[in-house]
Amino acid sequence: MKHTTLRDLDVSRIGLGTMGMSFGYTGAGTDDAESVRTIRRALELGVTFLDTAEIYGPYANEELVGRALKGHRDQVVLATKFGMISHAYGGPGHLDSSPANIRTAVEGSLKRLGTDRIDLYYQHRVDPNVPIEDTVGALAELVEQGKVRHIGLSEAGPDTIRRAHAVHPVTAVQSEYSLWTRDVEERVLPVLRELGIGFVPYSPLGHGFLTGAIRSPEQFDDTDWRKTNPRFTGENFRRNLRLADEVQAVATEVGATPAQVALAWLLAKGEHIVPIPGTKRVARVEENIAADGIELTAERIGKLDNLPPAAGEHHNEEQMQMIER
C-alpha cells in the first residue's frame, strides 16, 4: 500500500470508511463480527487510516471501531467527527459546534474508541450558529492538551476553510467526491491546494452505485437512507444506470472491477487525495484496496472525466443546505 500525506499527517493512499457497518445502509449492524474482521483485514493489507463519527449509530460505530482496534491502536490514524449531536439539548441530528459541546463530545469519543487521543478530529458539518473561529479555537485547545493531534472540516466551503485555517492549521477537509459527485472541483479543491490542506473524499463509490451492483431500488430495505435519496429514486435511478454501465465498460477494458476504476480515477486527481471507501465485508475491502495498484491511461481518465453528470442531487434538500457553508 502506497502512502501519502494529509498536510503533515502520513496515511495510506486508501482508507476505510466504517459508517455502513453500523448505520445508514441495508444490513448495517447485523454482523459486527464480520465488520471487525473487515477492519482487521484492512490493517493486514496496509490500510492505516480509519474514519468514523459519533453520529454513526449514533455511538455504535465508534464502539465497534474501538473493539476492532484493541491491540492495534498504534497501527492506525484514527479519525472521527463531532457536531451533529448536541449534548446539551436536542440530541442526535442537531448541529452544535459550540466549544462546550466539543469538550463533551471528545470525551465520549475517546471512551468509546478506547484511546487517549484522536488523530484527526473533524467538524462534521459547519454550524451556522457558531463562528468557525470559536469552534477551531476549542479544537486548538484539545490539540494543546494532547487529546487531538490534527483538526479537520467536513463539507465546508472555501471561506470557512480559510477562516478556520487562519486560527489553527487544518490538516484535511472531507467532502463527498466521486465520478458522480464533482461539486468540490471548482471551488474547494483549488483552496485546499493553495493552503496545503489534504482532501478526503467520502462515498467515492457513489454510495455503492458506481460498483454496478445496484440495479434496482428494491435492493434497499426501509432502514436504508438511499431509499429517499434523489439519485436512487424514479427516473433519476434509471438514467444513472447508464453512468454505472459506462464505468463498467472502462473496467472491462482494463481488467478491473468498476469499484477499482472509480477509486483509481480519484487517486489520479492529486497526490494528497485519500478516498475512504466504506464496506462491511472482507472481500470488498480486499477489492477496494487493490485499486492502489491500477494505473489508468490519460485517455481513459479523460473518458471518465467526460461522463455525463448524475441525475438528481446527491443529498436531500435538508442535507444539501449543510454543504459548502
Side-chain angles (χ1 to χ4, degrees):
M1 172 68 72
K2 301 183 192 78
H3 278 231
T4 187
T5 54
L6 299 169
R7 195 166 183 85
D8 55 350
L9 182 61
D10 181 272
V11 293
S12 55
R13 197 70 172 89
I14 298 174
L16 175 62
T18 63
M19 182 189 87
M21 296 175 178
S22 309
F23 176 78
Y25 294 109
T26 300
T30 59
D31 193 347
D32 284 356
E34 175 68 3
S35 294
V36 168
R37 285 192 293 272
T38 299
I39 291 171
R40 291 183 177 165
R41 180 60 176 146
L43 302 186
E44 290 173 2
L45 292 169
V47 170
T48 67
F49 187 38
L50 295 188
D51 182 273
T52 182
E54 66 171 358
I55 192 65
Y56 300 159
Y59 310 126
N61 194 242
E62 286 187 326
E63 293 169 350
L64 173 70
V65 171
R67 291 198 302 275
L69 290 182
K70 278 187 179 173
H72 303 276
R73 174 64 182 92
D74 293 339
Q75 287 179 245
V76 301
V77 170
L78 185 54
T80 192
K81 311 177 201 73
F82 68 89
M84 291 191 79
I85 296 177
S86 176
H87 295 277
Y89 67 93
H94 292 259
L95 294 183
D96 190 346
S97 284
S98 64
N101 197 65
I102 293 169
R103 287 190 286 268
T104 301
V106 74
E107 297 302 332
S109 289
L110 288 168
K111 183 177 180 181
R112 288 185 292 272
L113 291 165
T115 187
D116 62 351
R117 82 277 183 197
I118 294 165
D119 297 309
L120 178 56
Y121 201 35
Y122 292 101
Q123 180 191 39
H124 207 150
R125 292 291 185 272
V126 175
D127 183 348
N129 298 313
V130 179
I132 194 65
E133 290 82 0
D134 293 354
T135 296
V136 175
L139 292 171
E141 291 177 7
L142 296 180
V143 173
E144 290 175 11
Q145 295 164 13
K147 294 177 180 179
V148 168
R149 291 181 58 222
H150 299 264
I151 70 171
L153 305 173
S154 181
E155 292 288 13
D159 291 344
T160 300
I161 294 166
R162 290 185 187 280
R163 287 167 54 200
H165 193 67
V167 176
H168 185 280
V170 175
T171 294
V173 168
Q174 178 180 140
S175 297
E176 185 169 351
Y177 185 36
S178 70
L179 278 167
W180 81 340
T181 302
R182 300 178 60 178
D183 312 50
V184 297
E185 290 180 338
E186 187 175 334
R187 298 177 68 241
V188 174
L189 289 182
V191 172
L192 302 186
R193 293 188 183 107
E194 174 194 335
L195 299 177
I197 298 171
F199 182 59
V200 178
Y202 74 82
S203 297
L205 303 179
H207 310 291
F209 197 88
L210 297 172
T211 68
I214 299 170
R215 306 302 295 183
S216 167
E218 299 304 313
Q219 292 173 241
F220 308 139
D221 67 23
D222 289 340
T223 68
D224 199 311
W225 74 276
R226 290 172 294 187
K227 215 168 174 77
T228 57
N229 180 281
R231 290 192 180 170
F232 288 88
T233 54
E235 182 59 28
N236 287 346
F237 185 92
R238 289 183 286 277
R239 289 174 60 191
N240 288 330
L241 284 174
R242 294 197 290 272
L243 193 154
D245 292 341
E246 293 283 349
V247 179
Q248 175 66 68
V250 174
T252 300
E253 290 175 9
V254 301
T257 69
Q260 290 168 341
V261 165
L263 291 170
W265 175 84
L266 267 178
L267 294 175
K269 289 298 169 183
E271 182 184 353
H272 306 289
I273 293 177
V274 181
I276 49 169
T279 183
K280 56 184 183 293
R281 298 185 182 91
V282 169
R284 289 293 182 215
V285 87
E286 291 173 343
E287 174 188 347
N288 293 341
I289 289 165
D292 185 45
I294 293 173
E295 300 276 344
L296 296 174
T297 63
E299 181 182 359
R300 289 194 174 106
I301 290 171
K303 185 176 181 179
L304 293 166
D305 283 344
N306 291 317
L307 289 176
E313 291 285 10
H314 56 108
H315 287 297
N316 65 30
E317 187 174 344
E318 180 186 9
Q319 292 164 333
M320 288 299 293
Q321 290 175 1
M322 298 184 193
I323 290 172
E324 275 201 41
R325 278 204 287 231

